[in-house]
C-alpha cells in the first residue's frame, strides 16, 4: 500500500507540467505560497480533522475542538513566517451532534483563537455525515513577497532550534487514552497541563513572525507528526542531514513530573506528535540574535551534510522517523 507521501507525490505529478508562475512554493511545504502583487504573497494551508482518526469525541469538549481546528492551521501558517488573516472552515456532523449545542460551543472556541490571532472567518461549508465529526480548516495568510520561510533552505553548519517544549502533547494523549479527561477545575495540575497540550495547542504565530521579520530562519517546519518525522521532512526538502543532541531537548516539565523513566521521556520528545512547536534552522552567526529575540527557543542540534543522527551519552545513532502517519 502506498503511504500518504507517495499519494501526494503522485497527485502532484498528475498536474499540468507547467504551473502558473505565481506559484512560488508548491505542494510539499507547510503552506503554498502564491504571489499576490509586487509587495505581498499569499500563504494557503489546510488541515482535515477526522473523528476517531485525528481526535476522539469523548476527549474533547466542543469548545476545545473548535480552538484546535483553527490552531493546527495557524501552526502551519506560522511555520511559513506568515501572518494568518482569513479562514474558510467546513464541518460535517452526524445528526445527533447537529441537534445539540455542538456548533455554538465549537465556534466559541474557534472564535476565541481567531480573536487572539486576528483571523476572520470568511466562509466554509456544512454537511451531514453518517456518524463521525469531520472538520476542514483552511487558513490564508500574508507574507512580504519572497520572504516566506520554506522547509528547503537549511545549510550544512546551520544550528537547529525548537520553540517551547517537546513531548507534552504525547504525554497528554497517553493520559486521555488511560481514561483521564479534561477538567477545567483542575487546570493547573501537571496531568491537566499535559492534557491541554494535546487538546489546546498554542500555535507559535508570534515566534514565526519574529523569525521571518528578522530574516533569521533558513528553513522552518511545525512539529505536527513528531520531531523525528518533521526534522526528516525539513532535511529531505533541504537535501541535508542533522545531528540532534538528546541532552539539549527541551522536555515538557509536566512530563518530567509524571514520568520517571527518562528513556520514555526522550521517546516522547523525539517521536510524539502534536506539540505544534516550530523547528527551524539558523546560521551560526545569527545565534546571538535568536537568544535575544526568542529566548524561549532551545538549540537542539546542527545541520550536517547527510544522515540524521541522535547523540546521547552512549554515542551516535540513526534518528529513525517514528512520528504519526495516516497511511
Ligand atoms: P502538514 O503536517 O504541515 O499539515 P502534511 O504532512 O499534511 O503537512 O502534508 C504535506 C504536504 O502535502 C503539504 O504541502 C500539503 O499541502 C500536501 N498535501 C497533503 N494532502 C494533500 C492532498 N490531498 N492534495 C494535495 N496536497 C496535499
Ligand atoms: Mg506543518
Amino acid at each position: 500500500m502506498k503511504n500518504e507521501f507517495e499519494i501526494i507525490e503522485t497527485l502532484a505529478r498528475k498536474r499540468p507540467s507547467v504551473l502558473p508562475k505565481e506559484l512560488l512554493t508548491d505542494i510539499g511545504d507547510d503552506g503554498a505560497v502564491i504571489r499576490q502583487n509586487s509587495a505581498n504573497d499569499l500563504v494557503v494551508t489546510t488541515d482535515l480533522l477526522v473523528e476517531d482518526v485525528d481526535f476522539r469525541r469523548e476527549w474533547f469538549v466542543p469548545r476545545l475542538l473548535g480552538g484546535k481546528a483553527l490552531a493546527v492551521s495557524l501552526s502551519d501558517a506560522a511555520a511559513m513566517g506568515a501572518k494568518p488573516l482569513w479562514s474558510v472552515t467546513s464541518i460535517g456532523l452526524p445528526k445527533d451532534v447537529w441537534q445539540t449545542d455542538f456548533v455554538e460551543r465549537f465556534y466559541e472556541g474557534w472564535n476565541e483563537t481567531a480573536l487572539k490571532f486576528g483571523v476572520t472567518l470568511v466562509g466554509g461549508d456544512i454537511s451531514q455525515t453518517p456518524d463521525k465529526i469531520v472538520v476542514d480548516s483552511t487558513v490564508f495568510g500574508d507574507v512580504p513577497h519572497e520572504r516566506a520561510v520554506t522547509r528547503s533552505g537549511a545549510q550544512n553548519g546551520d544550528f537547529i532550534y525548537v520553540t517551547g517544549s517537546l513531548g507534552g502533547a504525547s504525554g497528554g494523549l497517553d493520559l486521555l487514552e488511560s481514561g483521564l479527561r479534561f477538567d477545567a477545575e483542575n487546570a493547573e495540575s501537571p496531568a491537566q497541563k499535559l492534557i491541554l497540550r494535546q487538546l489546546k495547542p498554542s500555535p507559535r504565530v508570534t515566534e514565526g513572525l519574529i523569525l521571518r521579520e528578522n530574516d533569521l530562519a533558513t528553513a522552518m517546519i511545525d512539529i505536527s507528526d513528531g520531531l523525528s518525522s518533521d526534522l526528516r521532512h525539513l532535511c529531505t526538502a533541504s537535501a541535508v542531514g542533522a545531528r540532534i543532541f538528546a541532552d539539549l531537548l527541551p522536555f515538557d516539565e509536566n512530563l518530567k513530573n509524571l514520568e520517571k523513566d527518562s528513556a520514555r521521556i526522550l521517546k516522547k520528545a523525539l517521536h510524539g506528535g502534536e506539540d505544534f512547536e516550530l523547528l527551524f534552522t539558523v546560521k551560526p552567526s545569527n545565534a546571538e540574535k535568536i537568544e535575544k529575540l526568542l529566548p524561549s527557543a532551545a538549540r537542539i542540534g546542527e545541520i550536517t551534510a547527510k544522515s540524521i543522527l541522535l547523540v546521547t551519552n552512549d554515542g551516535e545513532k540513526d534518528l529513525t522517523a517514528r512520528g504519526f502517519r495516516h497511511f
Side-chain angles (χ1 to χ4, degrees):
M1 194 173 90
K2 282 185 183 170
N3 73 35
E4 62 186 90
F5 300 107
E6 289 164 340
I7 294 169
I8 296 164
E9 220 173 87
T10 309
L11 67 88
R13 242 186 290 118
K14 294 228 160 110
R15 297 175 303 169
S17 57
V18 180
L19 294 168
K21 63 180 188 320
E22 288 78 14
L23 181 61
L24 304 178
T25 299
D26 196 6
I27 287 176
D29 218 298
D30 291 294
V33 184
I34 299 159
R35 183 181 192 271
Q36 276 193 90
N37 52 47
S38 59
N40 291 304
D41 296 334
L42 174 73
V43 169
V44 186
T45 181
T46 194
D47 286 281
L48 187 63
L49 278 80
V50 178
E51 182 182 350
D52 289 347
V53 178
D54 300 291
F55 68 92
R56 291 203 191 277
R57 203 185 300 186
E58 63 267 26
W59 295 348
F60 275 89
V61 293
R63 189 185 171 92
L64 288 174
L65 185 62
K68 182 164 177 177
L70 177 58
V72 298
S73 295
L74 294 181
S75 178
D76 279 323
M80 303 303 292
K83 167 94 187 82
L85 291 171
W86 315 107
S87 169
V88 291
T89 296
S90 301
I91 49 177
L93 298 176
K95 218 174 186 169
D96 58 317
V97 175
W98 182 247
Q99 277 153 355
T100 66
D101 62 355
F102 176 91
V103 175
E104 286 85 348
R105 299 283 96 81
F106 178 94
Y107 280 100
E108 269 174 26
W110 195 97
N111 283 325
E112 188 192 344
T113 304
L115 196 65
K116 188 165 168 196
F117 293 101
V119 175
T120 305
L121 183 70
V122 292
D125 201 4
I126 293 181
S127 189
Q128 198 184 112
T129 59
D131 58 359
K132 304 289 180 205
I133 300 170
V134 177
V135 184
D136 180 81
S137 163
T138 299
V139 162
F140 302 89
D142 202 38
V143 69
H145 184 49
E146 291 187 339
R147 298 288 301 279
V149 187
T150 65
R151 296 176 179 181
S152 58
Q155 289 189 337
N156 194 355
D158 286 355
F159 291 163
I160 303 173
Y161 287 83
V162 68
T163 59
S165 64
L166 296 173
S170 169
L173 182 66
D174 280 2
L175 293 173
L176 288 162
E177 281 177 341
S178 76
L180 210 66
R181 292 289 171 263
F182 166 65
D183 171 13
E185 310 272 286
N186 253 320
E188 290 306 308
S189 75
Q192 285 296 322
K193 282 188 179 163
L194 289 177
I195 285 182
L196 281 171
R197 281 293 307 211
Q198 172 64 220
L199 301 185
K200 197 177 184 192
S202 302
R204 304 302 186 192
V205 174
T206 310
E207 291 80 352
L209 287 173
I210 289 173
L211 290 167
R212 192 262 294 156
E213 281 160 7
N214 293 281
D215 210 4
L216 291 173
T218 53
M220 182 148 61
I221 187 169
D222 69 319
I223 302 186
S224 52
D225 298 341
L227 173 67
S228 62
S229 292
D230 292 313
L231 173 66
R232 192 160 290 267
H233 294 320
L234 185 147
C235 286
T236 305
S238 296
V240 293
R243 188 180 285 119
I244 297 294
F245 298 94
D247 283 351
L248 298 181
L249 293 173
F251 302 111
D252 189 298
E253 58 179 15
N254 297 302
L255 198 57
K256 287 191 279 186
N257 280 338
L258 288 183
E259 176 66 76
K260 297 294 166 231
D261 180 352
S262 59
R264 282 174 56 94
I265 294 180
L266 176 62
K267 225 172 177 179
K268 289 211 171 311
L270 289 174
H271 310 299
E274 304 219 277
D275 282 321
F276 294 106
E277 298 293 355
L278 295 176
L279 177 71
F280 58 97
T281 55
V282 170
K283 285 195 193 324
S285 56
N286 277 328
E288 254 177 58
K289 278 194 191 159
I290 293 290
E291 274 136 44
K292 209 166 113 213
L293 294 170
L294 276 187
S296 63
R299 191 171 133 197
I300 61 166
E302 63 206 12
I303 294 292
T304 60
K306 58 176 193 214
S307 312
I308 303 178
L309 301 172
L310 177 71
V311 185
T312 64
N313 293 337
D314 303 330
E316 282 187 358
K317 61 174 184 196
D318 278 329
L319 176 55
T320 318
R322 285 211 206 104
F324 181 76
R325 266 190 189 188
H326 288 98
F327 297 103

